[in-house]
């Protein structure tokens, strides 16, 4: 077994799970919903408990239902009501989130398809920009510049002498991304042709 050096590899990509643009408003909505639910639940229980206490206050011997079981039943109903409202709110928030993510991913995919088709025409401005879309647009602009530079260099290659061709291939190696540079050496002028 080979000894491997103790090298720490850091992932250069940052995983972004928080999108403040929409999550901020979903959180504000959640806080408002919970505040309203808590206030209305406490208010309902206050008036209901008050009426149960008043009904049973002046009865010394009561054969009916125990007061504490009424309190427990009323509290259970309020909790079930709050749970149902929270589930509905969660489903609504999920639909907003899914729609938003699909919108961003749809636009991102559309831009990626344009790059694969080498379509670098400018797009119409989108006021609701996302960080991932900003990165895609910056990358697309970089690829557009690279594509134009490659086109220019290839145009010079067609009429180049062997010495000029070597210089143009050197320029081409400088323009291509690192994963493509290894193939350019194979395109170099053979020494036997000189």
């Amino acid at each position: 077994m080979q000894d491997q050096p103790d090298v720490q590899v850091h992932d250069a990509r940052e995983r972004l799970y928080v999108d403040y643009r929409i999550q901020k408003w979903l959180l504000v909505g959640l806080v408002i919903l919970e505040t309203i639910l808590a206030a209305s639940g406490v208010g309902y229980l206050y008036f209901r408990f008050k009426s149960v206490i008043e009904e049973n206050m002046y009865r010394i011997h009561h054969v009916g239902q125990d007061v504490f079981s009424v309190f427990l039943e009323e509290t259970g109903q309020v909790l079930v009501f709050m749970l149902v409202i929270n589930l509905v709110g969660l489903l609504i928030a999920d639909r907003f989130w899914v729609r938003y993510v699909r919108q961003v991913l749809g636009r991102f995919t559309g831009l990626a398809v344009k790059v694969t088709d080498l379509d670098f025409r400018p797009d119409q401005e989108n006021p609701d920009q996302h960080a991932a879309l900003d990165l895609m647009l910056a990358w697309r602009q970089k690829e557009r510049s690279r594509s134009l530079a490659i086109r220019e260099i290839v145009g010079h290659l067609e009429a180049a002498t062997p010495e000029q061709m070597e210089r143009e291939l050197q320029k081409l190696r400088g323009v291509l991304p690192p994963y493509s540079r290894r193939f350019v050496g194979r395109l170099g002028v053979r020494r036997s042709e000189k």
Side-chain angles (χ1 to χ4, degrees), residues 44-45 48-49 52 65-80:
Y44 172 79
L45 287 176
R48 185 68 184 118
F49 287 175
V52 168
Q65 197 174 17
D66 183 24
V67 173
F68 293 111
S69 62
V70 173
F71 288 170
L72 187 62
E73 181 181 323
E74 291 294 329
T75 304
Q77 289 176 358
V78 168
L79 289 176
V80 168

Side-chain angles (χ1 to χ4, degrees), residues 149-159 168 172:
I150 290 171
R151 182 180 294 168
E152 182 181 335
I153 292 170
V154 169
H156 292 134
L157 279 174
E158 293 174 355
E168 293 299 321
L172 187 60

Side-chain angles (χ1 to χ4, degrees), residues 133-158:
L133 294 175
D134 291 339
L135 289 173
M136 174 57 91
L137 289 171
W139 179 71
R140 239 180 114 214
Q141 184 61 33
K142 186 177 173 183
E143 288 300 310
R144 179 182 187 280
S145 300
R146 184 188 324 247
S147 176
L148 291 174
I150 290 171
R151 182 180 294 168
E152 182 181 335
I153 292 170
V154 169
H156 292 134
L157 279 174
E158 293 174 355

